[in-house]
Amino acid sequence: MSSQHTQRGIVVGVDGSPSSLVAVEWAARDAQMRNVPLKLVHVVPAMVVAGEGWSEIAVPADYARMQEDRGRQFIEQAHKAAVEACSPSRASHVTSEVLHGTIVPALVDLSQHVDMVVVGCRGQGAVARALLGSVSAGLVHYADCPVAVIHDEDPLTARSPQAPVVVGVDGSPTSELATEIAFDEASRRGVDLVALHAWSDMGPLDFASVNWAPIEWRNIEDQEKEVLAERLCGFQERYPDVVVREVVVCDRPALRLLEQAQKAQLVVVGSHGRGGFPGMLLGSVSTAVVNTAGIPVIIARMPHHH
């Protein structure tokens, strides 16, 4: 990544849930590969003070202390997992903090000063069938830096370390950032990169109904291949070690990205793609991928004005 960011580091949200621990281990390994600091953060929810007339059911004094103790246990457990996940020399680069407040705003604040925020896909107490926990959903909408969402299964056991990184390329600004992150991650992991460019959101086209001769179809496909090659050209010069497989499809991008994700170890997507307007929180492609891919997904987000 660009040199001015090298020491900003990675923050991981800790809440004691199974996917949170897998997120801690993944973040520890990623921070080691990037050679940046890792910070573990647990947010103790702010106590809601009851209004007048409710004093008789005020929160017991020891409840806050219990929350605090539980938070410290989560952090200690996470710290141990982070240090075990990387080499012993990295232990001094792992710090931890217990904050107080509302979880999403606290992590969004931190996102202004780091390279990436990492969270589990479903937090403590989330309903098992809920696709994306409220914390990860909040972050992928509002963070000021890329967000990695990690699912419950350990990526190391789920996929071969040789499995490629996959990136969705559509020419939007966040897609450019996604491409940079994907090249960087593939280079550090020593794996191939699959760059997928989908040039229609309609699904496979029915030639009979649109009266296209196959030659015109091929012309469009060739043009789109050139467009993709141009978008990747500068990155390939910067990362000559990365073998890139270019995939151009006329189909719904989410479907094709998920298909590629089945054989990959990491997917990187922009937060909203081609045609996404600035006020749109998260594009349909990134939503589908982050909800459905069983592997780590990095959503490329850029700083915005609050």
Side-chain angles (χ1 to χ4, degrees), residues 235-246:
F235 294 110
Q236 285 180 298
E237 282 170 17
R238 280 167 54 195
Y239 297 95
D241 58 314
V242 176
V243 175
V244 182
R245 194 160 87 248
E246 297 175 26

Side-chain angles (χ1 to χ4, degrees), residues 160-191:
S160 143
Q162 267 62 62
V165 171
V166 173
V167 63
V169 180
D170 68 10
S172 63
T174 61
S175 162
E176 277 285 289
L177 178 59
T179 308
E180 181 179 5
I181 293 168
F183 266 95
D184 190 66
E185 289 280 352
S187 173
R188 292 179 191 282
R189 290 157 193 260
V191 298

Side-chain angles (χ1 to χ4, degrees), residues 4-11 37 39 105-117 143-146 303 306:
Q4 71 265 34
H5 291 331
T6 44
Q7 278 311 304
R8 285 160 53 111
I10 293 174
V11 159
K39 185 175 193 172
L107 291 175
V108 168
D109 279 351
L110 287 170
S111 76
Q112 295 173 48
H113 313 290
V114 294
D115 292 323
M116 185 161 69
V117 176
D144 272 309
C145 71
H306 290 284

